Amino acid sequence: HPTAAVPAAVAAMMAAFCVPSEGERSMNPEEKERLELAASLESIEVFQRGVEPAIIAARDQLMTRENYRGYFRNDVIARNNVGDHVLYAFISRSYDFDEHDPVRVREVFDAALAPLGFECSEKAEVLQDGTTDTVLIWGSERFGATVHVMVSESWLTSVNYYTDYLRSDGSVA
C-alpha cells in the first residue's frame, strides 16, 4: 500500500536530522555547552539593534565633551568556530570620563537597562586614601551581555560592555 511508505519515510528523515554532523561529533563538552548557551540567548544582531543603543544612550548622558578624557581599545567582534557553527562575541572600547557620583551613574544606566531585563550588582571599595571606587555591573541572561562601570571618587569613571559568544540570526544589525 503506498501510504504505508509515508511513516517509514518520515521516520528516516527524522533519524537523519538527529544524526550529528561531522563538526558536532568532534566537539568537546565545553564547545557543546557554548552552543547550547548561545541557542538560549538572543542573537548578536538583536544585541546590536536593541541593547547596544540603550547602553550608548546611557553612557552619552553621563559622558560629555567637557568630561570625556579618553578611551582604550577599539570595539571588537570576535568570531569563534564551534563545530559547524560560528558564534560571535562583542567587546566595546572602554571610555574614561570625569564623573564621581555612583548614584547618578546607577540611576542613568538602570533607567536604560532595567526595562530590557538587566540586573545590577554593586560593590564599593574604600581605598587607602579614604576615597571610594564603586563597581556597577549590569548583566542580562537573555542577551548574554554585561555592562561594567567603575566610578572612582578620586580618578576617572570607566565604562565598557561585552557579550558572551552569541549566534547570528543572519539579519543585518
Side-chain angles (χ1 to χ4, degrees), residues 129-151:
D129 65 0
T131 61
T132 303
D133 285 352
T134 303
V135 176
L136 302 162
I137 299 174
W138 286 266
S140 168
E141 290 183 24
R142 174 182 169 198
F143 296 104
T146 302
V147 178
H148 184 271
V149 181
M150 198 279 294
V151 182

Side-chain angles (χ1 to χ4, degrees), residues 19-172:
V19 174
S21 69
E22 183 61 38
E24 290 172 343
R25 273 191 289 254
S26 64
M27 287 191 297
N28 65 42
E30 292 81 17
E31 290 173 319
K32 288 179 183 177
E33 275 184 36
R34 189 173 293 147
L35 273 182
E36 288 172 13
L37 176 61
S40 73
L41 302 173
E42 296 288 352
S43 70
I44 190 80
E45 294 87 356
V46 169
F47 169 80
Q48 289 182 309
R49 280 192 304 265
V51 177
E52 189 174 24
I55 296 168
I56 292 169
R59 181 201 66 208
D60 289 352
Q61 279 186 322
L62 298 164
M63 184 177 71
T64 65
R65 173 177 282 186
E66 291 75 32
N67 72 1
Y68 168 78
R69 296 297 175 257
Y71 68 87
F72 176 71
R73 284 189 318 269
N74 286 318
D75 292 344
V76 174
I77 296 179
R79 177 186 168 117
N80 185 16
N81 295 324
V82 181
D84 295 335
H85 305 275
V86 178
L87 300 178
Y88 302 89
F90 179 85
I91 306 164
S92 77
R93 61 175 43 155
S94 180
Y95 290 90
D96 296 330
F97 54 98
D98 276 321
E99 172 59 60
H100 306 287
D101 183 356
V103 172
R104 178 171 182 252
V105 171
R106 183 164 184 163
E107 287 173 352
V108 169
F109 275 98
D110 274 345
L113 298 176
L116 298 172
F118 279 74
E119 295 182 10
C120 182
S121 64
E122 180 175 336
K123 182 180 179 189
E125 180 182 351
V126 178
L127 306 176
Q128 289 179 346
D129 65 0
T131 61
T132 303
D133 285 352
T134 303
V135 176
L136 302 162
I137 299 174
W138 286 266
S140 168
E141 290 183 24
R142 174 182 169 198
F143 296 104
T146 302
V147 178
H148 184 271
V149 181
M150 198 279 294
V151 182
S152 177
E153 190 177 7
S154 63
W155 188 234
L156 299 174
T157 287
S158 175
V159 175
N160 75 306
Y161 52 97
Y162 50 91
T163 68
D164 292 332
Y165 278 102
L166 304 175
R167 64 187 162 74
S168 172
D169 63 19
S171 67
V172 177

Side-chain angles (χ1 to χ4, degrees), residues 2-17:
T3 57
V6 172
V10 170
M13 285 177 22
M14 289 180 65
F17 284 118

